[in-house]
Amino acid sequence: MIRFEPSFFLERNRDIDEVTLRAIAREVRKDILKMTSEAQSGHPGGAMSAADIIVTLYYYKMRHNPENPKWEKRDRFVLSKGHVCPALYSVLARTGYFPLEKLHEFRKLNGDLQGHPDMHKTPGIEISTGSLGHGIGAAVGMALGLKLDKSDSRVYCMIGDGEAQEGSVWEASMAASHYNLDNLVVILDNNNLQIDGPVDDVMSIYPAVEKWKAFGWHVIEINGHDFKEIKAALDEADSVKFKPTMIVAKTVKGKGVSFMENRAEWHGKALSPDLLKEALKELGEIV
Amino acid sequence: MKKVSLRDAYGETLVELGKEDERIVVLDADLSGSTKTAKFAKAFPERFFNFGIAEIDMMNAAAGLATTGKIPFVSTFAIFGTGRAWEAVRQTICYPNLNVKIVCTHGGITVGEDGATHQALEDVANMRNIPNMRVIVPADDIETRQVIRKIAYTDGPFYVRLTREKFPRIFDESYRFEVGKGHVLVEGEDVTVVANGVITSFALLTAENLEREGISVEVIHMPTVKPIDTELIVKSASKTGAVVTAEEHSIIGGLGSAVAEVLVENYPVPMERLGTPDVFGRSGKGWELLHYFGLDEKGIEEKIKKVLERKR
Ligand SMILES: Cc1ncc(C[n+]2csc(CCOP(=O)(O)OP(=O)(O)O)c2C)c(N)n1
Ligand SMILES: [Mg+2]
């Protein structure tokens, strides 16, 4: 298992190569599938599409302190698409916020890992989310507050492409640019799937890049599974002044398991024990 | 008792209505598989509108469709339909008193594993407090079918609360739903229980259990929370002299509040309310959570014993 001392995470832009990030992301994907399968509930598809980005944020980019989740100097991450919290719970456990065994509590009565992130039950969760379209607005508020405090902490937020249909996402986008929030970076997990099907069939959000540009954002387009591109985009955002940054990350829902990739049906369905075995094998686990 | 799906009954009834009447249109917000409006979407794709994850816009559009003579059924999860979209429902549907039928699934604590963000424990309260809105909480599939048919052809806005979990079937085909009418399912002398949704089935169990202890419980099923059946509540309270309400909802603002309002103004008797206390829900299995919050036959029994103490 790839483990780092908590002190490793205290400075930004750590020396960690793509091979290591990929190996960690593979472990995270296994956690996602195990957690949802054990609970027979939860959202594996969008967690798999988000995994590489969340891993890069917590292992490469963000300044944070697993031993002191409320550390004043920390950068913040808001998972606006809260349903994919298994990815975040796994990363929080693996970076040291709580023991890995806790992942078994996911979605269970009396457990601390709620079906959607709860900031008072789970260390490392910056704000409770789960109802789509709210988290990005909260991220705007955090960025404003940090600016008021003259803090150099940065706010990262991930939204879904289905989530981007909520009007509140655009209200937040307007506010972020109005207040020149260059300490805010939002990542659009652009897997082009939501529950009822492809985003462009259900309710198109396209052209997304042009929309955010028109809203006054600095927009970067990347492949959300290419660690070099994820790192480069996060680095580029550091140097943007007076504008928030939107990283439009092309991703694959269910990424990493062939029979789950690009299929809407795995949005909110857990793997059976048999399929879990098959999926874990694909992810290189000896079972 | 056989467990049945209220949302399947909804989807199937929508398809029947769609065949009979071209004015029926259906709107959903990326949850058509869960709310079962997908059945209608498949049968009548041209009369189904997926608004994506944009519940406020969906409600406003439903109002607009109603002004063109359509009969819109609007569905999403209860928390989003009655929470996120509350003000659109108030301003654009209820204020102009338009013919929109809001039928939400995933009401209550039995939403289960999704947890607090998705468990609507205040939906009945949210809808009950808007003028012109009528609020219905069915107990099983047979009642759901009748409710959907009835509201399709009763002018004006309605909110119907359905659930994710399957519930025990308590009615047979002889049952007749009427807007604004409660139903005495068991006659009793000592105490009245007023319930709706899945909790009515628990109330029936409680009545059976307590009969053995010599306590005679009158069970009233009250699907329409608004307009509430004042006459029936007063009649039963004047007979038994004690009332317990029980619902899968916060004790603030739902059936318990509606019944309390009736009793206070017409015939005050000792009363106890069973519902979730003033707290958010949490993750767990749907049935597990009902028991966790005491929303079951035991919970009702405790409230009955408490109210009988006060009656003496
Ligand atoms: C306001 C709101 N409406 C509906 C839902 C139910 N829901 C959960 S996930 C989801 C689809 C999300 O799609 P997307 O944002 O693309 O997420 P991803 O593909 O990354 O999983 C929906 C409709 C919700 N959580 N919140
Ligand atoms: Mg998506």
CSV table of all heavy atoms in Angstrom, one decimal, chain B residues 125-164:
chain,number,residue,atom,x,y,z
B,125,ALA,N,-45.5,19.2,5.1
B,125,ALA,CA,-45.6,20.5,5.7
B,125,ALA,C,-45.4,21.6,4.6
B,125,ALA,O,-46.1,22.6,4.5
B,125,ALA,CB,-44.5,20.7,6.8
B,126,ASN,N,-44.3,21.4,3.8
B,126,ASN,CA,-44.0,22.4,2.7
B,126,ASN,C,-45.2,22.6,1.8
B,126,ASN,O,-45.4,23.7,1.3
B,126,ASN,CB,-42.8,21.8,1.9
B,126,ASN,CG,-41.5,21.9,2.6
B,126,ASN,OD1,-41.4,22.5,3.6
B,126,ASN,ND2,-40.5,21.3,2.0
B,127,MET,N,-45.9,21.6,1.4
B,127,MET,CA,-47.0,21.7,0.5
B,127,MET,C,-48.3,22.1,1.1
B,127,MET,O,-49.1,22.9,0.5
B,127,MET,CB,-47.2,20.4,-0.3
B,127,MET,CG,-46.0,20.0,-1.2
B,127,MET,SD,-45.8,21.1,-2.6
B,127,MET,CE,-44.4,22.1,-2.1
B,128,ARG,N,-48.5,21.7,2.4
B,128,ARG,CA,-49.7,22.0,3.1
B,128,ARG,C,-49.9,23.5,3.3
B,128,ARG,O,-51.0,24.0,3.4
B,128,ARG,CB,-49.7,21.2,4.4
B,128,ARG,CG,-51.0,21.1,5.1
B,128,ARG,CD,-50.9,20.1,6.3
B,128,ARG,NE,-50.3,20.7,7.4
B,128,ARG,CZ,-50.9,21.3,8.4
B,128,ARG,NH1,-52.2,21.5,8.4
B,128,ARG,NH2,-50.2,21.8,9.4
B,129,ASN,N,-48.8,24.2,3.5
B,129,ASN,CA,-48.9,25.6,3.8
B,129,ASN,C,-49.1,26.5,2.6
B,129,ASN,O,-49.1,27.7,2.8
B,129,ASN,CB,-47.7,26.0,4.7
B,129,ASN,CG,-46.4,25.9,3.9
B,129,ASN,OD1,-46.4,25.8,2.7
B,129,ASN,ND2,-45.2,25.9,4.6
B,130,ILE,N,-49.3,26.0,1.4
B,130,ILE,CA,-49.5,26.8,0.3
B,130,ILE,C,-51.0,26.9,-0.1
B,130,ILE,O,-51.6,25.8,-0.3
B,130,ILE,CB,-48.7,26.4,-1.0
B,130,ILE,CG1,-47.2,26.1,-0.6
B,130,ILE,CG2,-48.8,27.4,-2.1
B,130,ILE,CD1,-46.4,25.6,-1.8
B,131,PRO,N,-51.6,28.0,-0.1
B,131,PRO,CA,-53.0,28.1,-0.5
B,131,PRO,C,-53.3,27.4,-1.9
B,131,PRO,O,-52.4,27.4,-2.7
B,131,PRO,CB,-53.3,29.6,-0.6
B,131,PRO,CG,-52.2,30.2,0.3
B,131,PRO,CD,-51.0,29.4,0.2
B,132,ASN,N,-54.4,26.8,-2.0
B,132,ASN,CA,-54.9,26.1,-3.2
B,132,ASN,C,-54.3,24.7,-3.4
B,132,ASN,O,-54.8,23.9,-4.2
B,132,ASN,CB,-54.6,26.9,-4.5
B,132,ASN,CG,-55.4,28.1,-4.7
B,132,ASN,OD1,-56.6,28.2,-4.1
B,132,ASN,ND2,-54.9,29.1,-5.4
B,133,MET,N,-53.2,24.4,-2.7
B,133,MET,CA,-52.6,23.1,-2.8
B,133,MET,C,-53.4,22.1,-2.0
B,133,MET,O,-53.8,22.4,-0.8
B,133,MET,CB,-51.1,23.2,-2.4
B,133,MET,CG,-50.4,21.9,-2.5
B,133,MET,SD,-50.4,21.2,-4.2
B,133,MET,CE,-48.8,21.7,-4.8
B,134,ARG,N,-53.6,20.9,-2.5
B,134,ARG,CA,-54.1,19.8,-1.8
B,134,ARG,C,-53.1,18.7,-1.7
B,134,ARG,O,-52.3,18.5,-2.6
B,134,ARG,CB,-55.4,19.3,-2.5
B,134,ARG,CG,-56.6,20.2,-2.2
B,134,ARG,CD,-57.6,20.1,-3.3
B,134,ARG,NE,-57.1,20.7,-4.5
B,134,ARG,CZ,-57.9,20.7,-5.6
B,134,ARG,NH1,-59.1,20.2,-5.7
B,134,ARG,NH2,-57.4,21.2,-6.7
B,135,VAL,N,-53.1,18.0,-0.6
B,135,VAL,CA,-52.0,17.1,-0.2
B,135,VAL,C,-52.5,15.7,0.1
B,135,VAL,O,-53.3,15.5,1.0
B,135,VAL,CB,-51.1,17.6,1.0
B,135,VAL,CG1,-50.0,16.7,1.3
B,135,VAL,CG2,-50.6,19.0,0.6
B,136,ILE,N,-51.9,14.7,-0.6
B,136,ILE,CA,-52.4,13.3,-0.4
B,136,ILE,C,-51.2,12.3,-0.2
B,136,ILE,O,-50.2,12.4,-0.9
B,136,ILE,CB,-53.2,12.9,-1.7
B,136,ILE,CG1,-54.4,13.8,-1.8
B,136,ILE,CG2,-53.6,11.4,-1.5
B,136,ILE,CD1,-55.1,13.6,-3.1
B,137,VAL,N,-51.4,11.5,0.8
B,137,VAL,CA,-50.3,10.5,1.2
B,137,VAL,C,-50.9,9.1,1.2
B,137,VAL,O,-51.5,8.7,2.2
B,137,VAL,CB,-49.7,10.8,2.6
B,137,VAL,CG1,-48.6,9.9,2.9
B,137,VAL,CG2,-49.2,12.3,2.6
B,138,PRO,N,-50.9,8.4,0.0
B,138,PRO,CA,-51.5,7.1,-0.1
B,138,PRO,C,-50.8,6.0,0.7
B,138,PRO,O,-49.6,6.2,1.0
B,138,PRO,CB,-51.5,6.8,-1.6
B,138,PRO,CG,-51.0,8.0,-2.3
B,138,PRO,CD,-50.2,8.8,-1.2
B,139,ALA,N,-51.5,4.9,1.0
B,139,ALA,CA,-50.9,3.8,1.8
B,139,ALA,C,-50.4,2.7,0.9
B,139,ALA,O,-49.5,2.0,1.3
B,139,ALA,CB,-51.9,3.4,2.8
B,140,ASP,N,-51.1,2.4,-0.2
B,140,ASP,CA,-50.6,1.2,-1.0
B,140,ASP,C,-50.9,1.5,-2.5
B,140,ASP,O,-51.2,2.6,-2.9
B,140,ASP,CB,-51.3,0.0,-0.5
B,140,ASP,CG,-52.8,-0.1,-0.8
B,140,ASP,OD1,-53.3,0.8,-1.5
B,140,ASP,OD2,-53.5,-1.1,-0.4
B,141,ASP,N,-50.7,0.4,-3.2
B,141,ASP,CA,-50.8,0.6,-4.7
B,141,ASP,C,-52.2,0.8,-5.2
B,141,ASP,O,-52.5,1.5,-6.1
B,141,ASP,CB,-50.1,-0.7,-5.4
B,141,ASP,CG,-50.8,-2.0,-5.0
B,141,ASP,OD1,-51.4,-2.1,-3.9
B,141,ASP,OD2,-50.8,-2.9,-5.8
B,142,ILE,N,-53.1,0.1,-4.5
B,142,ILE,CA,-54.5,0.2,-4.9
B,142,ILE,C,-55.0,1.6,-4.7
B,142,ILE,O,-55.6,2.2,-5.6
B,142,ILE,CB,-55.4,-0.8,-4.2
B,142,ILE,CG1,-55.1,-2.2,-4.7
B,142,ILE,CG2,-56.9,-0.5,-4.3
B,142,ILE,CD1,-55.8,-3.4,-4.1
B,143,GLU,N,-54.7,2.2,-3.6
B,143,GLU,CA,-55.1,3.5,-3.3
B,143,GLU,C,-54.3,4.5,-4.3
B,143,GLU,O,-54.9,5.5,-4.8
B,143,GLU,CB,-54.8,3.9,-1.9
B,143,GLU,CG,-55.2,5.3,-1.5
B,143,GLU,CD,-55.2,5.6,0.0
B,143,GLU,OE1,-54.2,5.3,0.6
B,143,GLU,OE2,-56.2,6.2,0.5
B,144,THR,N,-53.1,4.3,-4.5
B,144,THR,CA,-52.3,5.1,-5.4
B,144,THR,C,-53.0,5.3,-6.8
B,144,THR,O,-53.1,6.3,-7.3
B,144,THR,CB,-50.8,4.7,-5.5
B,144,THR,OG1,-50.3,4.6,-4.2
B,144,THR,CG2,-50.0,5.5,-6.5
B,145,ARG,N,-53.3,4.1,-7.3
B,145,ARG,CA,-54.0,4.1,-8.6
B,145,ARG,C,-55.2,5.0,-8.6
B,145,ARG,O,-55.4,5.8,-9.5
B,145,ARG,CB,-54.4,2.7,-9.0
B,145,ARG,CG,-53.3,1.9,-9.6
B,145,ARG,CD,-53.7,0.4,-9.8
B,145,ARG,NE,-52.6,-0.5,-9.6
B,145,ARG,CZ,-51.7,-0.7,-10.5
B,145,ARG,NH1,-51.7,-0.1,-11.7
B,145,ARG,NH2,-50.7,-1.5,-10.2
B,146,GLN,N,-56.0,4.9,-7.6
B,146,GLN,CA,-57.3,5.7,-7.5
B,146,GLN,C,-57.0,7.2,-7.3
B,146,GLN,O,-57.6,8.0,-7.9
B,146,GLN,CB,-58.1,5.2,-6.4
B,146,GLN,CG,-58.7,3.8,-6.6
B,146,GLN,CD,-59.8,3.4,-5.7
B,146,GLN,OE1,-60.5,4.2,-5.1
B,146,GLN,NE2,-60.0,2.1,-5.5
B,147,VAL,N,-56.0,7.4,-6.5
B,147,VAL,CA,-55.6,8.8,-6.3
B,147,VAL,C,-55.2,9.5,-7.6
B,147,VAL,O,-55.6,10.6,-7.9
B,147,VAL,CB,-54.4,8.9,-5.2
B,147,VAL,CG1,-53.8,10.3,-5.2
B,147,VAL,CG2,-54.9,8.5,-3.9
B,148,ILE,N,-54.3,8.8,-8.3
B,148,ILE,CA,-53.8,9.4,-9.6
B,148,ILE,C,-54.9,9.7,-10.6
B,148,ILE,O,-55.0,10.7,-11.2
B,148,ILE,CB,-52.7,8.5,-10.2
B,148,ILE,CG1,-51.5,8.3,-9.2
B,148,ILE,CG2,-52.2,9.0,-11.5
B,148,ILE,CD1,-50.9,9.6,-8.7
B,149,ARG,N,-55.8,8.7,-10.7
B,149,ARG,CA,-57.0,8.9,-11.6
B,149,ARG,C,-57.8,10.1,-11.1
B,149,ARG,O,-58.3,10.9,-11.9
B,149,ARG,CB,-57.9,7.6,-11.6
B,149,ARG,CG,-57.3,6.5,-12.4
B,149,ARG,CD,-58.3,5.5,-12.9
B,149,ARG,NE,-57.8,4.9,-14.1
B,149,ARG,CZ,-58.0,5.3,-15.3
B,149,ARG,NH1,-58.8,6.3,-15.5
B,149,ARG,NH2,-57.4,4.7,-16.3
B,150,LYS,N,-58.1,10.1,-9.8
B,150,LYS,CA,-59.0,11.1,-9.3
B,150,LYS,C,-58.4,12.5,-9.5
B,150,LYS,O,-59.1,13.4,-10.0
B,150,LYS,CB,-59.2,10.9,-7.8
B,150,LYS,CG,-60.1,11.8,-7.1
B,150,LYS,CD,-61.6,11.7,-7.6
B,150,LYS,CE,-62.3,10.5,-6.8
B,150,LYS,NZ,-63.7,10.3,-7.2
B,151,ILE,N,-57.1,12.7,-9.2
B,151,ILE,CA,-56.6,14.1,-9.3
B,151,ILE,C,-56.4,14.5,-10.7
B,151,ILE,O,-56.4,15.7,-11.0
B,151,ILE,CB,-55.2,14.2,-8.5
B,151,ILE,CG1,-54.1,13.4,-9.2
B,151,ILE,CG2,-55.4,13.9,-7.0
B,151,ILE,CD1,-52.7,13.7,-8.6
B,152,ALA,N,-56.3,13.5,-11.7
B,152,ALA,CA,-56.1,13.9,-13.1
B,152,ALA,C,-57.3,14.7,-13.5
B,152,ALA,O,-57.2,15.6,-14.4
B,152,ALA,CB,-55.9,12.6,-13.9
B,153,TYR,N,-58.5,14.3,-12.9
B,153,TYR,CA,-59.7,15.0,-13.4
B,153,TYR,C,-60.4,15.8,-12.3
B,153,TYR,O,-61.6,16.0,-12.3
B,153,TYR,CB,-60.7,13.9,-13.9
B,153,TYR,CG,-60.0,13.3,-15.2
B,153,TYR,CD1,-59.6,12.0,-15.2
B,153,TYR,CD2,-59.8,14.1,-16.3
B,153,TYR,CE1,-59.0,11.4,-16.3
B,153,TYR,CE2,-59.2,13.5,-17.4
B,153,TYR,CZ,-58.8,12.2,-17.4
B,153,TYR,OH,-58.2,11.7,-18.5
B,154,THR,N,-59.6,16.3,-11.3
B,154,THR,CA,-60.1,17.2,-10.3
B,154,THR,C,-59.2,18.5,-10.6
B,154,THR,O,-58.0,18.4,-10.4
B,154,THR,CB,-59.9,16.7,-8.9
B,154,THR,OG1,-60.5,15.4,-8.8
B,154,THR,CG2,-60.6,17.7,-7.9
B,155,ASP,N,-59.8,19.6,-10.9
B,155,ASP,CA,-59.1,20.7,-11.4
B,155,ASP,C,-58.2,21.3,-10.2
B,155,ASP,O,-58.6,21.3,-9.1
B,155,ASP,CB,-60.0,21.8,-11.9
B,155,ASP,CG,-59.3,22.8,-12.8
B,155,ASP,OD1,-58.5,22.4,-13.7
B,155,ASP,OD2,-59.4,24.0,-12.5
B,156,GLY,N,-57.0,21.8,-10.6
B,156,GLY,CA,-56.2,22.5,-9.6
B,156,GLY,C,-55.0,21.7,-9.1
B,156,GLY,O,-54.9,20.6,-9.5
B,157,PRO,N,-54.1,22.4,-8.4
B,157,PRO,CA,-52.9,21.7,-8.0
B,157,PRO,C,-53.1,20.7,-6.9
B,157,PRO,O,-53.9,20.8,-6.0
B,157,PRO,CB,-52.0,22.9,-7.4
B,157,PRO,CG,-52.9,24.1,-7.3
B,157,PRO,CD,-54.2,23.8,-8.0
B,158,PHE,N,-52.3,19.6,-7.0
B,158,PHE,CA,-52.2,18.6,-6.0
B,158,PHE,C,-50.8,18.2,-5.7
B,158,PHE,O,-49.9,18.3,-6.7
B,158,PHE,CB,-52.9,17.3,-6.5
B,158,PHE,CG,-54.4,17.3,-6.3
B,158,PHE,CD1,-55.2,17.8,-7.3
B,158,PHE,CD2,-55.0,16.8,-5.2
B,158,PHE,CE1,-56.6,17.8,-7.2
B,158,PHE,CE2,-56.3,16.8,-5.0
B,158,PHE,CZ,-57.2,17.3,-6.0
B,159,TYR,N,-50.5,17.8,-4.5
B,159,TYR,CA,-49.2,17.1,-4.2
B,159,TYR,C,-49.5,15.7,-3.7
B,159,TYR,O,-50.3,15.5,-2.8
B,159,TYR,CB,-48.4,17.9,-3.2
B,159,TYR,CG,-47.2,17.1,-2.7
B,159,TYR,CD1,-46.2,16.8,-3.6
B,159,TYR,CD2,-47.1,16.6,-1.4
B,159,TYR,CE1,-45.1,16.1,-3.2
B,159,TYR,CE2,-46.0,15.9,-1.0
B,159,TYR,CZ,-45.0,15.6,-1.9
B,159,TYR,OH,-43.8,14.9,-1.5
B,160,VAL,N,-48.9,14.7,-4.3
B,160,VAL,CA,-49.1,13.3,-3.9
B,160,VAL,C,-47.7,12.8,-3.5
B,160,VAL,O,-46.7,12.9,-4.2
B,160,VAL,CB,-49.6,12.4,-5.0
B,160,VAL,CG1,-49.8,11.0,-4.5
B,160,VAL,CG2,-51.0,12.9,-5.5
B,161,ARG,N,-47.6,12.3,-2.3
B,161,ARG,CA,-46.4,11.8,-1.8
B,161,ARG,C,-46.3,10.2,-1.8
B,161,ARG,O,-47.0,9.5,-1.2
B,161,ARG,CB,-46.2,12.2,-0.3
B,161,ARG,CG,-44.9,11.8,0.1
B,161,ARG,CD,-44.8,11.0,1.4
B,161,ARG,NE,-43.8,11.7,2.2
B,161,ARG,CZ,-43.5,11.4,3.4
B,161,ARG,NH1,-44.1,10.4,4.0
B,161,ARG,NH2,-42.7,12.1,4.1
B,162,LEU,N,-45.3,9.8,-2.7
B,162,LEU,CA,-45.1,8.3,-2.8
B,162,LEU,C,-43.7,8.0,-2.2
B,162,LEU,O,-43.0,8.9,-1.8
B,162,LEU,CB,-45.2,7.9,-4.3
B,162,LEU,CG,-46.5,8.2,-5.0
B,162,LEU,CD1,-46.5,7.8,-6.4
B,162,LEU,CD2,-47.7,7.6,-4.3
B,163,THR,N,-43.4,6.7,-2.3
B,163,THR,CA,-42.2,6.3,-1.6
B,163,THR,C,-41.3,5.4,-2.4
B,163,THR,O,-41.7,4.9,-3.5
B,163,THR,CB,-42.6,5.5,-0.3
B,163,THR,OG1,-43.5,4.5,-0.8
B,163,THR,CG2,-43.1,6.4,0.7
B,164,ARG,N,-40.1,5.2,-2.0
B,164,ARG,CA,-39.1,4.3,-2.7
B,164,ARG,C,-39.4,2.9,-2.3
B,164,ARG,O,-39.5,2.0,-3.1
B,164,ARG,CB,-37.7,4.7,-2.2
B,164,ARG,CG,-36.7,3.7,-2.7
B,164,ARG,CD,-35.3,4.2,-2.3
B,164,ARG,NE,-34.3,3.2,-2.8
B,164,ARG,CZ,-33.6,2.4,-1.9
B,164,ARG,NH1,-33.7,2.5,-0.6
B,164,ARG,NH2,-32.7,1.6,-2.4
